[in-house]
Amino acid sequence: MRSSTLQTLGLGSIIEIFQNGKLPVTAGELVDQVFGKAGNRGALVITGANGIVGAGKTMQLGSRLEPFDIPIIALDFPGVPDGIAKQYPGLVKAFGKGNANKVMGNIIKYSYDGKTLPKALASHNPKFLLEAIPEILEIKKDHYKAFRESFPDIDIWSVTSGFPSSQLGVGIAHPAFPHEVNKIWEIVESTPSSSSKLLWALGLIPMQVSDNWAFVLDVFFCGLTGAAARFNETTNMPYWKIDKYIRKYFGPNPFRAHDAIGAAGANFLTWSCLHHLGQHYGELFTPSDNMNEKKESGSNWYPLDHFRPMVDWSMNEEETAEFDAWILGPLFQMTSLMLHENRSHLSQMNLIGELCAQFRKGVLALIRHYGADAARKIVSDYHKLQPEAAKNAWYPKEFDKIGSPEWQQLYVNAEHDGKVGVISINRESYNHDVNAELNRAIDYLKSAGIENVIITGDFHISTQMVGADTTDFFPAIEDANKGIELSKAWSATARRLHTDFKNSVGFINGKRCLGGFLELMVHCHYLVAEENAALGMPEVTLPVIPGMEGCHWPFRKMQAGNYQNLLKLILSGKSVKAKDAVGWLIDYAGSTEDSIKMALKIASGGDHGIAKRAVNENPISDIPNEIAGLENNEDEILSQARKALLDCIKNSCNATLSDAISIQAKHSGEFMTTKLCKKGVIGSTYTKTWQV
Amino acid sequence: MKLVESMFPFARIPYGTWGSSYFPGWQTSPLAEVNIGQFAGEAMANILGKRKVRRKELEYLVIGSTVPWHWKFWNGPAVASCMGQRIPGFQMEQACATGLSAVIVAGSEVNSKSYDVAGVLTFDRTSDSPVGVFPERRSYRRTEVIADVWDNFGFDPSTGSSMLSTAGMTARKYKIDRAEVDELTYLRYKQYFDTKKSGFLDKCLFSFDVLNVQGRLLGTISEDVGVREISLQTLREQRELDTCITSGTQTHAADGMATLLVSSIEKAKELSTRPEINIEFIAKVDIRTGPGLMPEAPGMAVKKLLDRTGLTLNDMAVVKNHNPFAVNDAIFAKTMNYDWAKMNNTGCSLVWGHPQAPTLTRTLIEALEEAVDLGGGFVLIFGCAAGDVGTAGIFRVS
Ligand SMILES: NC(=O)c1ccc[n+]([C@@H]2O[C@H](COP(=O)([O-])OP(=O)(O)OC[C@H]3O[C@@H](n4cnc5c(N)ncnc54)[C@H](O)[C@@H]3O)[C@@H](O)[C@H]2O)c1
């Protein structure tokens, strides 16, 4: 339907992965290209290694490069607080003590005066410099000069938040907070390099962006903060309350984020981005007075503890419209600018907001939701409030393209070769948008006469399938009908994987496939998974009742002897490894490469030797009443949730296939309005974020 | 309207940039539990927001507050920080004269062209007042402990007598009749409740949702809590605590805040939602009467003010006072030969309570709104204050 984001990295399309029966590149070959062959590997140097970014990236890259024997040189000033040591507990938690020690053992720390590089550096043969020193242009440039003088061939990437490569004279790899775990990097380079492909091969998410000030993420993040700061200046509404409203309506809480990252540094970075953007694009970005003040003082946005807010603020309808104009107006205008400048693949532009700036719906998805005219109206309402912003950087025509596949398929793409179709989903959790896009993807393949399909993650932005996006459940918490509708609609989509194709193959490559996504995938005729992928139904722990037919569909495909396995999966909420689920939940598990090959073999009707498991359309009455081996039975909430789940399982199984969809939906929708659900994870998040 | 000189020709009160909280009776609302300085700062930001005035416009803050609050040492700057604005400020107080004097101080600052926009913010929490421990070498006990609100009400160190006794004593001096005081009080309640029903108070008062430390709703301040309609019969049946003083004919302690802005002429046009309305400072005086005669002081202050300006009570479109005792009004009427039924049309502190500093500020806000409703004119506000003080000010709305 559109190009895949993988192609922007020079790694080909997703259908090609299946056609070639393997991933496009391996980490090993790329390590050889970037750092030299084994036995003669050069080093990765990280400068500013004790800083927020430096220390985080020393961990993230250090843990991934350690198996390849690439020394990590951590360089910073003498006497600055040890940012790397602070990371150790987190590293132990993630990898265990043994591995954490190995990673730390591979980090070599040097300090220097900022001018003369340590002599011993040469002995490590530095191949690559990741620069993470302060956001001051001249300092950065001098720094590169020092490195180039000593190591003329060294590759350099800056982690800069805002300076384009054209200003710095080096490549850009702008990472997203929190740096030790966030996998996303915005990359600026003329053609995809081995280094950015290596990030991908290491399981990270490089995204190609164009060489414009502040790239994509910080236009959204700093731009949102700037807009919110302006709203404060206009209305006096305190930052904490603006944060709550932004969180309620759009997801992020920009001011809290600054305080969490460390206000002194974060305020400066945001100011710096806005300042430079303002110089280029005018008032839309120019930092407001309070932003200037916060940069100077480095003080927190939230009040000190002893001044925890006392007077609550609310908005009437007119004030809410003004809020939309002040907050969404600039965001939409900024998006038009980035589209005009072609800053990145639209899916990436959209998902950067979700994955790095906490947007519940990416800004493009939001604009699409409003529609071009309504979005333009919001921007013009904003221009009435801040007329100078209208003078530059506003490209309303960009929204004319909302009907194009690039805009329409932000999360789900479909490709085919005339015989086999591949539907790829790049969002880790399933929401209304994914549901709508998935339907369009199916329509597209059907209209091309495709009868065989593989449904998979996108091998790039989505590294796992975590289940339903539970924020889409919020409206259902007060209204059972909303929950029932959602459940029916999503289930109907899932059923299309069963009814609309001759052969549908679910392919699970990522680390896990859980909840709603697993329910979706089991609707495929075949389910193939990488052998170590975790499969699970964690709904009971939230608690919610699965709404996409997880309570009966897979039972209808398995022998009665396996009911116990599935019941345990659902009632315990604990995952199983794919290789332990073959024969009852899935049809094949193997290495990444073997499962890729198998998925295509099944889809293309090759000789795969796996029997298609039929779906029993009649009522099933012999679901056991209880199962052995469940833990935490003394937990009252868990026990009640289990009971509700078991009721749903028994009732939806003990019906015909055509009736079961409504029965499951009723259980699922009604449960969301119960006290049990309200007290749980979803209910309390709902209360925290929506009841403001 | 008579032509009189303005005391601050360069200062104005921009119409509609003001607001007050309701004044819940002491110990009846969440205001009894908050740091009132913080509350007032946050509430002022909120009021200005609703009035479409950006906090950025403020250059200076005059704080009026009489009951010590936690971190009072930091005064204006701390309160300004609570409204999200880093500006300097100045705290001033003289019991119930504070609410008017704070406006005058701001007027003087603007008039002298130190600032274009100064905020006036008055507040007090009488509930659970702080207790001071004072080393006092000359007292028998050597160390004195004073509950700030109640112990001060009960003892004027200059005279040795209580507030209440000044009311009784002055009532006797002027031979005020208990029946008149009851009738006057009855009218005051009627004026308040009629005004409340008319919706007039919505132009002056704002509701606030107060949060607890967890950020959850502690309660809403949307009433002058504790004020109930009262019949003449009930008033008549009440026991006299001193001459003409019953629980019904005196005010009650309350908590609250009130704020307004003072600005240059140009800024007033810019900030006001109705720039055509011009509000000027005309004159203000304080006087002090003989020991223990506080309720006669307001009338004396008004008399002096009228003498100095050449105005008469008949020139006034709106007359309002802070009357902690109903006898204040009876004495004023008698000494100034004025009909007490013509004043305090929208309610008064006898009814809605006595949080000290913000009392006269709220009185002024109501008076200015009333004058605007009447199409303009002179506004006289006055009142008594601890220490046998009378304060009075005249403003002109045109
Ligand atoms: N903080 C974030 O979340 C974030 C996000 C993305 C990008 N960035 C970018 O990362 C860079 C660093 O930001 P930070 O927030 O980590 O700052 P930081 O202040 O936490 O860290 C900077 C580190 O650099 C060291 N340093 C300074 N000059 C040096 C030099 N000449 N050589 C070696 N070390 C030197 C300092 O001692 C400090 O440890 C900036 O360019 C910033 O724009 C930051």
Side-chain angles (χ1 to χ4, degrees):
Chain A
M1 300 174 87
R2 55 152 169 84
S3 66
S4 68
T5 59
L6 202 61
Q7 284 167 302
T8 65
L9 292 170
L11 294 173
S13 66
I14 295 161
I15 197 167
E16 281 166 351
I17 292 179
F18 290 98
Q19 285 164 346
N20 298 334
K22 61 173 186 166
L23 298 176
V25 283
T26 65
E29 67 195 69
L30 293 162
V31 161
D32 287 354
Q33 286 170 30
V34 178
F35 292 98
K37 294 242 185 283
N40 188 27
R41 297 250 206 260
L44 168 67
V45 182
I46 298 180
T47 53
N50 286 315
I52 295 180
V53 176
K57 289 309 168 196
T58 302
M59 292 304 110
Q60 190 180 56
L61 296 172
S63 57
R64 285 175 164 81
L65 291 175
E66 186 277 329
F68 298 96
D69 283 334
I70 296 165
I72 311 289
I73 315 289
L75 191 62
D76 207 313
F77 291 153
V80 298
D82 189 341
I84 295 174
K86 267 197 274 179
Q87 299 278 344
Y88 182 64
L91 201 61
V92 172
K93 218 167 146 198
F95 299 109
K97 202 163 181 157
N99 286 328
N101 288 349
K102 263 200 220 161
V103 173
M104 284 294 187
N106 199 37
I107 295 168
I108 303 156
K109 297 188 200 172
Y110 282 111
S111 57
Y112 80 127
D113 62 1
K115 295 186 189 88
T116 321
L117 294 180
K119 280 208 179 73
L121 206 55
S123 66
H124 301 287
N125 184 17
K127 286 279 190 192
F128 203 98
L129 167 63
L130 184 72
E131 168 271 305
I133 70 172
E135 187 76 345
I136 297 166
L137 190 60
E138 291 317 311
I139 296 184
K140 284 192 191 280
K141 281 180 155 174
D142 287 350
H143 189 65
Y144 309 143
K145 204 165 143 225
F147 266 88
R148 284 200 172 118
E149 274 166 10
S150 305
F151 309 104
D153 296 331
I154 194 164
D155 255 343
I156 305 179
W157 266 352
S158 173
V159 301
T160 178
S161 303
F163 296 121
S165 173
S166 59
Q167 297 281 319
L168 292 170
V170 298
I172 309 287
H174 173 235
F177 186 84
H179 300 287
E180 48 284 3
V181 291
N182 197 317
K183 296 177 181 167
I184 290 173
W185 299 69
E186 291 182 311
I187 305 286
V188 176
E189 52 192 11
S190 45
T191 49
S193 66
S194 303
S195 312
S196 50
K197 288 177 192 164
L198 174 59
L199 289 186
W200 176 83
L202 294 173
L204 300 172
I205 309 174
M207 292 187 178
Q208 298 283 339
V209 294
S210 66
D211 195 29
N212 295 98
W213 289 86
F215 322 111
V216 174
L217 168 56
D218 276 338
V219 171
F220 282 137
F221 180 67
C222 302
L224 173 65
T225 310
R230 277 223 179 81
F231 186 69
N232 161 273
E233 281 203 336
T234 317
T235 62
N236 307 337
M237 184 182 280
Y239 302 118
W240 67 269
K241 187 71 191 195
I242 298 175
D243 238 24
K244 279 196 187 285
Y245 277 123
I246 293 182
R247 177 147 171 227
K248 171 177 175 173
Y249 293 121
F250 315 122
N253 38 8
F255 296 124
R256 171 76 84 201
H258 278 74
D259 290 355
I261 295 170
N267 294 356
F268 173 75
L269 290 181
T270 296
W271 174 87
S272 168
C273 282
L274 290 173
H275 168 74
H276 288 111
L277 285 164
Q279 288 193 325
H280 270 73
Y281 302 109
E283 282 297 308
L284 170 64
F285 294 102
T286 307
S288 48
D289 290 346
N290 51 353
M291 182 52 93
N292 292 326
E293 259 170 48
K294 287 288 177 194
K295 165 234 169 192
E296 289 299 330
S297 67
S299 59
N300 275 9
W301 297 82
Y302 273 57
L304 295 163
D305 252 8
H306 53 259
F307 275 143
R308 259 175 297 219
M310 190 173 277
V311 172
D312 200 5
W313 288 61
S314 53
M315 298 193 294
N316 59 28
E317 230 171 80
E318 184 194 329
E319 288 160 339
T320 309
E322 198 183 323
F323 171 84
D324 280 350
W326 274 114
I327 305 297
L328 284 183
L331 279 177
F332 289 0
Q333 184 179 350
M334 290 168 199
T335 307
S336 83
L337 169 69
M338 292 195 287
L339 290 167
H340 173 77
E341 291 178 336
N342 212 353
R343 285 199 181 200
S344 92
H345 190 292
L346 268 58
S347 290
Q348 291 185 161
M349 195 181 283
N350 184 57
L351 279 157
I352 282 175
E354 294 184 13
L355 297 171
C356 310
Q358 296 171 298
F359 280 93
R360 254 198 311 277
K361 229 183 201 326
V363 183
L364 279 89
L366 210 55
I367 293 171
R368 186 177 69 181
H369 171 79
Y370 275 89
D373 288 339
R376 283 190 279 250
K377 161 92 172 47
I378 288 175
V379 179
S380 79
D381 289 346
Y382 159 58
H383 290 162
K384 281 182 204 132
L385 300 167
Q386 200 192 345
E388 322 81 69
K391 290 185 190 144
N392 293 304
W394 172 219
Y395 300 95
K397 284 208 159 56
E398 287 297 332
F399 299 162
D400 288 347
K401 300 173 201 155
I402 277 184
S404 67
E406 284 71 22
W407 269 94
Q408 288 297 305
Q409 300 302 122
L410 295 167
Y411 302 106
V412 183
N413 192 22
E415 308 160 73
H416 67 83
D417 60 6
K419 212 169 147 242
V420 174
V422 173
I423 293 177
S424 54
I425 303 179
N426 63 23
R427 198 177 198 273
E428 295 189 348
S429 59
Y430 195 93
N431 69 359
H432 287 305
D433 281 342
V434 172
N435 187 61
E437 292 193 14
L438 179 54
N439 274 300
R440 289 196 287 267
I442 294 171
D443 293 343
Y444 165 81
L445 291 179
K446 294 218 37 153
S447 67
I450 302 298
E451 294 194 315
N452 305 302
V453 67
I454 298 172
I455 173 155
T456 170
D458 76 332
F459 292 90
H460 181 203
I461 302 174
S462 163
T463 57
Q464 54 188 346
M465 296 171 158
V466 295
D469 185 337
T470 52
T471 59
D472 269 5
F473 296 170
F474 289 168
I477 288 180
E478 306 295 350
D479 181 353
N481 285 328
K482 292 247 156 65
I484 293 171
E485 276 166 29
L486 176 144
S487 172
K488 277 190 186 164
W490 292 9
S491 300
T493 309
R495 283 195 179 197
R496 294 188 70 187
L497 298 176
H498 176 72
T499 53
D500 285 25
F501 297 97
K502 203 169 103 202
N503 263 323
S504 60
V505 184
F507 177 75
I508 299 168
N509 179 41
K511 275 199 205 109
R512 47 186 74 85
C513 180
L514 306 176
F517 254 120
L518 185 61
E519 294 180 86
L520 175 81
M521 296 297 254
V522 296
H523 282 78
C524 294
H525 300 126
Y526 298 91
L527 197 44
V528 170
E530 196 281 330
E531 59 201 351
N532 291 311
L535 312 177
M537 303 271 288
E539 283 89 341
V540 69
T541 60
L542 298 176
V544 279
I545 305 254
M548 284 169 84
E549 309 197 272
C551 289
H552 70 94
W553 192 279
F555 284 99
R556 294 179 188 276
K557 284 183 76 173
M558 66 180 57
Q559 317 241 310
N562 286 319
Y563 291 163
Q564 288 278 347
N565 288 339
L566 184 56
L567 275 176
K568 190 161 178 203
L569 187 87
I570 298 176
L571 298 180
S572 72
K574 290 198 179 128
S575 304
V576 289
K577 280 213 163 151
K579 60 183 164 212
D580 300 326
V582 179
W584 53 281
L585 188 60
I586 68 172
D587 302 280
Y588 177 87
S591 67
T592 301
E593 224 170 281
D594 288 348
S595 35
I596 288 173
K597 290 194 171 98
M598 179 56 80
L600 186 75
K601 203 182 272 179
I602 299 172
S604 57
D607 178 17
H608 53 76
I610 297 174
K612 197 182 222 171
R613 291 182 292 140
V615 177
N616 177 357
E617 299 196 10
N618 300 318
I620 302 173
S621 56
D622 56 346
I623 301 290
N625 278 324
E626 54 185 20
I627 56 161
L630 284 180
E631 290 165 11
N632 303 324
N633 290 319
E634 68 293 345
D635 181 333
E636 185 58 25
I637 292 182
L638 190 62
S639 303
Q640 286 180 41
R642 280 175 180 161
K643 188 180 169 313
L645 267 157
L646 196 58
D647 281 349
C648 175
I649 293 170
K650 292 190 75 105
N651 290 339
S652 52
C653 285
N654 199 6
T656 62
L657 186 64
S658 55
D659 289 347
I661 193 166
S662 308
I663 295 171
Q664 166 108 37
K666 191 162 181 306
H667 276 271
S668 175
E670 284 175 355
F671 185 82
M672 275 193 271
T673 63
T674 60
K675 271 206 189 113
L676 205 55
C677 181
K678 280 186 183 149
K679 273 197 266 175
V681 178
I682 297 171
S684 50
T685 317
Y686 164 78
T687 309
K688 223 161 85 190
T689 55
W690 271 39
Q691 308 285 82
V692 300
Chain B
M1 236 188 296
K2 273 189 192 157
L3 274 181
V4 281
E5 258 179 51
S6 159
M7 70 192 293
F8 299 140
F10 303 118
R12 295 291 184 275
I13 297 177
Y15 170 79
T17 57
W18 49 58
S20 168
S21 70
Y22 287 85
F23 289 176
W26 79 309
Q27 314 298 6
T28 59
S29 81
L31 287 195
E33 297 180 32
V34 302
N35 179 333
I36 196 75
Q38 180 188 351
F39 169 77
E42 293 186 21
M44 180 174 180
N46 187 285
I47 289 172
L48 292 182
K50 295 256 160 19
R51 299 297 200 181
K52 306 268 179 248
V53 177
R54 299 174 178 215
R55 59 168 173 76
K56 264 168 72 167
E57 299 287 353
L58 279 183
E59 296 166 83
Y60 189 68
L61 199 54
V62 178
I63 300 288
S65 165
T66 71
V67 182
W69 46 281
H70 191 190
W71 294 311
K72 165 182 172 289
F73 172 82
W74 300 96
N75 288 327
V79 175
S81 287
C82 292
M83 61 183 294
Q85 183 74 345
R86 282 190 75 81
I87 49 170
F90 178 75
Q91 175 153 329
M92 41 94 45
E93 64 170 290
Q94 179 50 54
C96 293
T98 306
L100 174 57
S101 279
V103 180
I104 300 300
V105 169
S108 148
E109 292 285 357
V110 170
N111 193 58
S112 63
K113 310 219 166 151
S114 301
Y115 310 102
D116 286 329
V117 183
V120 174
L121 177 55
T122 53
F123 55 84
D124 263 321
R125 179 183 120 183
T126 60
S127 301
D128 295 339
S129 86
V131 172
V133 179
F134 298 90
E136 195 62 78
R137 304 287 306 182
R138 287 164 195 235
S139 82
Y140 171 68
R141 299 195 304 179
R142 297 301 172 98
T143 302
E144 289 295 340
V145 177
I146 291 189
D148 198 84
V149 171
W150 291 105
D151 289 347
N152 281 322
F153 281 175
F155 182 76
D156 173 351
S158 311
T159 62
S161 57
S162 71
M163 296 276 186
L164 191 94
S165 69
T166 68
M169 192 163 132
T170 320
R172 286 191 292 281
K173 176 176 168 184
Y174 288 97
K175 302 198 168 42
I176 302 296
D177 175 23
R178 160 83 193 264
E180 182 192 3
V181 177
D182 287 338
E183 270 164 39
L184 184 154
T185 305
Y186 178 69
L187 175 69
R188 295 289 177 255
Y189 273 84
K190 185 169 173 333
Q191 287 168 320
Y192 171 78
F193 281 104
D194 286 351
T195 303
K196 198 173 165 192
K197 279 179 210 128
S198 75
F200 173 88
L201 292 182
D202 299 341
K203 289 195 270 190
C204 312
L205 306 185
F206 287 79
S207 291
F208 294 102
D209 287 339
V210 178
L211 301 173
N212 66 13
V213 279
Q214 284 83 34
R216 285 194 280 276
L217 186 67
L218 184 61
T220 299
I221 314 294
S222 54
E223 282 286 341
D224 294 316
V225 183
V227 184
R228 278 179 297 274
E229 285 183 83
I230 192 162
S231 71
L232 191 53
Q233 189 57 29
T234 312
L235 285 165
R236 283 181 180 145
E237 283 164 6
Q238 284 179 339
R239 189 172 65 85
E240 250 186 20
L241 307 166
D242 202 329
T243 310
C244 291
I245 316 299
T246 64
S247 61
T249 61
Q250 64 171 326
T251 186
H252 56 274
D255 305 323
M257 61 75 66
T259 182
L260 57 74
L261 300 188
V262 178
S263 76
S264 65
I265 300 170
E266 301 72 43
K267 269 286 173 189
K269 293 208 167 83
E270 199 183 309
L271 298 178
S272 175
T273 44
R274 292 179 63 186
E276 72 281 8
I277 297 173
N278 189 32
I279 303 174
E280 294 165 276
F281 293 77
I282 299 301
K284 183 255 183 184
V285 295
D286 286 358
I287 62 97
R288 190 172 185 198
T289 183
L293 294 169
M294 183 176 76
E296 70 175 11
M300 295 162 89
V302 169
K303 185 162 181 337
K304 184 169 178 183
L305 194 60
L306 295 177
D307 288 348
R308 294 182 78 95
T309 55
L311 293 167
T312 67
L313 280 176
N314 283 335
D315 292 324
M316 299 300 142
V318 178
V319 177
K320 275 192 200 300
N321 71 336
H322 158 52
N323 47 358
F325 301 106
V327 292
N328 281 29
D329 289 10
I331 294 165
F332 175 79
K334 196 162 191 172
T335 54
M336 299 296 291
N337 193 20
Y338 190 72
D339 177 3
W340 47 251
K342 282 169 41 187
M343 57 195 276
N344 288 334
N345 288 332
T346 64
C348 56
S349 54
L350 172 69
V351 180
W352 42 246
H354 180 274
Q356 306 188 172
T359 312
L360 268 175
T361 317
R362 171 168 167 181
T363 307
L364 176 60
I365 291 170
E366 291 191 16
L368 294 173
E369 284 288 4
E370 189 183 343
V372 169
D373 283 354
L374 294 171
F378 288 105
V379 167
L380 168 67
I381 69 156
F382 60 99
C384 63
D388 303 317
V389 167
T391 186
I394 296 178
F395 298 81
R396 178 169 46 207
V397 178
S398 53

